[in-house]
Amino acid sequence: MLFLAGGLVVWFAVYGQLLSFARLVTYDVLGLGRGTHLGEAVEFFIYDTPKVLMLLVLVVFGVGILRSFFTPERTRKILAGRSEAAGNVLAALLGIVTPFCTCSAVPLFMGFVAAGVPLGVTLSFLIAAPMVNEVAVVLLYGLLGWKVAALYMGTGLAIAVLAGWIIGRLRMERYVEDWVTQTTQPAAGLMLEARMSWEGRISYAIGAVRDIVGKVWPYVVLGIAVGAGIHGYVPEGVLASVMGKEAWWSVPAAVVLGIPMYSNAAGIIPVVQALLGKGAALGTVLAFMMAVIALSLPEAVILRRVLKMPLILTFFGVVGCGILIVGFLFNMLI
């Protein structure tokens, strides 16, 4: 614990000097001109790369401690037996703090069905888990402030709850693959809960940092490089005209563009930061981000193992409509 406390002190000390370091390297060491396209792009990259990675390490460790209390078996037990309306809300909230992503869809879906969790409640969980995750919320808070982070989390939860409730009302259980509905035991991937000591939880969190940050850092660097290019070279007028409030078609275009551009939250948020900095409308950028994270072609391929095509199309259609509403609403209000 003393080691962790000392590490936090060092973390905050280093974090507070990142901007000065980026300007020193960009303008004094590399000799780039202030106000030039290349200088602004390089400063953005050198500043945001360690900033985002440091935020990522901190939040993954902290949530790793929290996640050690939410095993798949415990999550399944919490959702089992809930009424549908309350279950949708609870499932969406659990989706934020539980360690599951799209890749976990098949074993989770089987376990939820075996436990008698309603279809709509299960889908609320599967929407919220990748879209409203702790990495996205904390990185948005660190890069764009608490208002944008709160808007993202609130609207993402609303989409997950309402989409799950709507699909539940449509009674589409017949479009679940037959082999899934015949499952009578939880999936093999759902391990029984084991009590952990605090030493074990800290070890689990450190392992989560190694695993998650080790996997996503190339996407983070790539996203920051794209954001740096936008920040340094794309004129503000171009993005304001293409992704601004006045272009009514910008929100649906952003959603369509985001679906094949599969990425995780850590990789897409630096791009979001650069788009907003160049005059893109908040609603359009949020719609783009949500489509990239929550509606992806790899997700459709994975879900096809447990869902029939009419349910997958309904799932994408309902979530997509929710994202469109969010985009148009925030473009009108903000």
Side-chain angles (χ1 to χ4, degrees):
M1 296 301 293
L2 289 174
F3 175 78
L4 291 177
L8 283 175
V9 172
V10 173
W11 188 97
F12 281 104
V14 173
Y15 187 82
Q17 298 300 317
L18 290 179
L19 182 57
S20 299
F21 173 78
R23 289 174 176 172
L24 175 68
V25 173
T26 303
Y27 304 118
D28 296 335
V29 176
L30 298 179
L32 300 177
R34 294 179 181 271
T36 62
H37 294 304
L38 180 59
E40 291 186 357
V42 171
E43 180 188 341
F44 183 98
F45 183 81
I46 295 176
Y47 175 54
D48 265 37
T49 300
K51 180 180 180 179
V52 173
L53 289 175
M54 287 180 68
L55 284 170
L56 194 60
V57 169
L58 184 65
V59 68
V60 170
F61 179 84
V63 177
I65 297 291
L66 180 62
R67 282 177 166 180
S68 67
F69 293 94
F70 288 92
T71 63
E73 180 68 13
R74 170 174 283 187
T75 303
R76 186 179 64 83
K77 289 180 178 178
I78 291 174
L79 293 180
R82 299 284 178 177
S83 63
E84 191 168 0
N88 289 122
V89 177
L90 184 58
L93 291 173
L94 283 173
I96 301 177
V97 298
T98 44
F100 314 125
C101 61
T102 302
C103 300
S104 307
V106 173
L108 280 172
F109 198 91
M110 292 173 60
F112 288 168
V113 169
V117 177
L119 176 63
V121 173
T122 299
L123 292 179
S124 286
F125 180 89
L126 294 180
I127 295 168
M131 183 163 66
V132 192
N133 63 72
E134 76 291 342
V135 172
V137 173
V138 174
L139 290 183
L140 281 175
Y141 172 76
L143 297 177
L144 300 172
W146 69 268
K147 291 184 179 180
V148 175
L151 287 174
Y152 165 76
M153 184 169 68
T155 53
L157 284 173
I159 291 173
V161 172
L162 292 176
W165 183 83
I166 290 171
I167 293 174
R169 297 295 89 203
L170 295 176
R171 305 297 180 191
M172 302 189 71
E173 285 78 5
R174 64 185 181 279
Y175 294 115
V176 177
E177 289 290 348
D178 295 336
W179 68 271
V180 176
T181 58
Q182 294 168 2
T183 302
T184 58
Q185 297 294 329
L190 298 179
M191 300 175 63
L192 293 176
E193 177 184 358
R195 295 184 62 85
M196 298 176 65
S197 65
W198 273 103
E199 182 180 358
R201 297 188 194 282
I202 292 173
S203 298
Y204 176 86
I206 293 174
V209 170
R210 292 192 186 120
D211 181 46
I212 297 175
V213 178
K215 288 180 180 177
V216 306
W217 74 263
Y219 298 97
V220 173
V221 175
L222 179 61
I224 294 172
V226 173
I230 294 172
H231 180 80
Y233 287 94
V234 177
E236 292 187 15
V238 173
L239 279 179
S241 62
V242 174
M243 300 185 73
K245 297 180 182 179
E246 291 74 16
W248 66 267
W249 44 266
S250 64
V251 174
V255 173
V256 172
L257 180 65
I259 293 176
M261 295 178 60
Y262 176 69
S263 178
N264 50 55
I268 199 64
I269 286 177
V271 179
V272 168
Q273 180 190 17
L275 291 174
L276 290 175
K278 285 297 183 177
L282 176 60
T284 305
V285 173
L286 282 178
F288 172 72
M289 176 182 171
M290 288 180 169
V292 170
I293 299 174
L295 296 177
S296 66
L297 296 180
E299 180 180 23
V301 172
I302 293 171
L303 290 177
R304 181 61 187 89
R305 295 180 60 188
V306 293
L307 305 179
K308 296 178 182 178
M309 191 56 67
L311 182 50
I312 292 178
L313 294 176
T314 302
F315 173 82
F316 270 62
V318 172
V319 176
C321 287
I323 294 174
L324 288 173
I325 292 172
V326 168
F328 284 122
L329 180 63
F330 281 111
N331 279 353
M332 287 192 307
L333 298 179
I334 299 177

